[in-house]
Amino acid sequence: MSENSFSLGTVIGRGNIISNNIIRSVAVFAILFATLVMTVGFPDSPEQAVSDNRAFVVFLLLITLIYVAKLYFNYEKIVSITDIFLIISLGLFLWELFLGKLALLDSFIFPGPAKVFMVFQTDTKQMTEGIASSLSILFSGYFLALVLAIPIGLYAGWKKRLFDVVYPISKTVSPIPATVYLPYSIVLLPTFRASSIFLIFIGALWPILVGSVNGVFSIDPRLINYARTLGLSDYQMIRKILLPAALPSIFSGAMIGLILSFITLTVAEMIAATSGLGWYIEYYHQFANYDKVIAGMILMIVVVIGIMNIFDRVQKHFLRWHPAYGEGENSASSL
């Protein structure tokens, strides 16, 4: 009797969750539709009026399409997905209402969405070139840090003598922001691109190195002892035992390194670049063109989200055996 009651309660509880999420999902669509109707059907205030608001309309339709795709392919995450899109849709609605239609704030500093998204039509080529420039510098420095930091960190974690030298240095130097080296990197290196790659390399190197060392220390000593009995060489030990077992910690350090690389790149581009997303924002800030400043910020957010999603997919692929990332019945994602 109690078991039947428990099963009935579980079914009712899940039914309530589904119904609540359906209501919230409908709310997301309703808010996006209301924003679309307000954008197309009502004129902007004279201060915020633009000749063409198609870019913002396309963006609203794109957000709606992305939400539908997310619900279809990731239905098990409906709660978090709906929460995120509820915040996004409500923010767009309020932005359009208070700034686009009513112009409650200074229209010069706080442009409406139609003015901001029109920038993506007029500056498409410049923005595309900026993305290409920023990403080429970012990945050059970041991948160089990965290639050097991971093997050095694994070997330092494996060999105590090397660890006694490398780890204290990394703990001492790693808190220093990479941008501290910017003045000398600009003077000593031949181009801004070379100096930026160097700064990103320095900023990403230390967290990846520390993560690799800590990953070796987190390995069960019994696993290492078993491997030693097989007579593996140092190279075989690192490649077959230490690297796979230390991957969770390595990815944690790589995530921190990637975040620091974004920050370093943006600061460097704002100070001394002639292209890139950071330069785009700073350049038009100097001319007080806040339409383009906000458009540049939105573009940077989109680029960062895309790269972090790629990072997450790579991490889940290489850690598919791990309970926190895998897709087996014991994985955290199946809860």
Side-chain angles (χ1 to χ4, degrees):
M1 182 68 177
S2 59
E3 183 177 351
N4 292 335
S5 299
F6 175 78
S7 300
L8 180 60
T10 302
V11 171
I12 294 175
R14 290 182 178 178
N16 290 334
I17 293 175
I18 293 174
S19 62
N20 291 335
N21 286 321
I22 290 176
I23 293 173
R24 290 161 59 244
S25 298
V26 171
V28 172
F29 288 115
I31 294 173
L32 290 172
F33 181 73
T35 308
L36 182 62
V37 170
M38 182 166 51
T39 301
V40 175
F42 298 90
D44 286 334
S45 65
E47 299 88 347
Q48 300 283 11
V50 294
S51 59
D52 190 353
N53 62 2
R54 286 179 297 175
F56 185 52
V57 172
V58 171
F59 178 76
L60 291 174
L61 295 175
L62 182 62
I63 287 291
T64 305
L65 183 61
I66 292 174
Y67 180 55
V68 172
K70 285 283 188 180
L71 290 182
Y72 181 78
F73 291 106
N74 298 280
Y75 183 77
E76 68 280 0
K77 298 180 180 179
I78 184 174
V79 175
S80 59
I81 291 173
T82 301
D83 287 343
I84 292 172
F85 278 86
L86 191 59
I87 294 173
I88 294 174
S89 60
L90 187 59
L92 292 172
F93 176 82
L94 295 177
W95 185 15
E96 173 68 0
L97 176 62
F98 291 140
L99 298 184
K101 303 306 180 187
L102 302 179
L104 297 182
L105 299 177
D106 186 348
S107 60
F108 181 73
I109 301 177
F110 301 100
K115 291 178 68 175
V116 170
F117 281 90
M118 189 175 178
V119 174
F120 292 101
Q121 291 179 257
T122 59
D123 286 13
T124 302
K125 181 179 178 181
Q126 191 175 23
M127 286 181 164
T128 303
E129 293 174 350
I131 293 174
S133 174
S134 295
L135 292 185
S136 64
I137 294 173
L138 176 72
F139 288 130
S140 297
Y142 182 71
F143 284 126
L144 181 61
L146 284 175
V147 169
L148 291 180
I150 293 177
I152 293 174
L154 292 175
Y155 200 74
W158 173 239
K159 297 295 183 179
K160 186 177 186 305
R161 182 176 179 180
L162 183 60
F163 168 80
D164 291 337
V165 175
V166 171
Y167 198 69
I169 293 176
S170 63
K171 287 184 66 177
T172 303
V173 179
S174 58
I176 301 176
T179 50
V180 168
Y181 308 106
L182 180 61
Y184 273 97
S185 68
I186 293 176
V187 172
L188 298 178
L189 295 174
T191 63
F192 170 78
R193 176 183 173 84
S195 63
S196 298
I197 291 174
F198 170 76
L199 292 177
I200 292 171
F201 165 73
I202 291 296
L205 176 71
W206 301 115
I208 300 173
L209 180 64
V210 172
S212 301
V213 173
N214 288 336
V216 176
F217 284 166
S218 66
I219 300 174
D220 190 339
R222 294 174 296 180
L223 178 62
I224 296 179
N225 291 334
Y226 294 152
R228 280 174 174 164
T229 61
L230 299 176
L232 300 179
S233 64
D234 287 348
Y235 172 76
Q236 291 174 323
M237 178 68 75
I238 291 175
R239 186 174 68 87
K240 296 183 178 181
I241 304 299
L242 302 184
L243 177 59
L247 272 180
S249 183
I250 292 174
F251 271 106
S252 296
M255 171 69 80
I256 297 173
L258 184 58
I259 293 172
L260 293 177
S261 297
F262 279 123
I263 297 172
T264 303
L265 174 65
T266 303
V267 173
E269 287 182 336
M270 285 184 168
I271 293 176
T274 57
S275 63
L277 296 179
W279 168 84
Y280 182 90
I281 294 172
E282 178 60 22
Y283 178 79
Y284 287 106
H285 167 256
Q286 294 175 1
F287 290 95
N289 192 331
Y290 291 99
D291 304 353
K292 297 190 176 185
V293 169
I294 296 176
M297 293 170 62
I298 293 174
L299 182 61
M300 183 175 291
I301 291 172
V302 172
V303 171
V304 170
I305 290 174
I307 294 176
M308 297 309 289
N309 280 332
I310 294 174
F311 183 92
D312 288 341
R313 291 181 180 276
V314 172
Q315 179 176 245
K316 289 179 180 179
H317 173 74
F318 283 100
L319 297 180
R320 57 190 180 275
W321 52 269
H322 196 280
Y325 302 96
E327 298 180 356
E329 61 181 5
N330 295 325
S331 69
S333 62
S334 64
L335 297 179

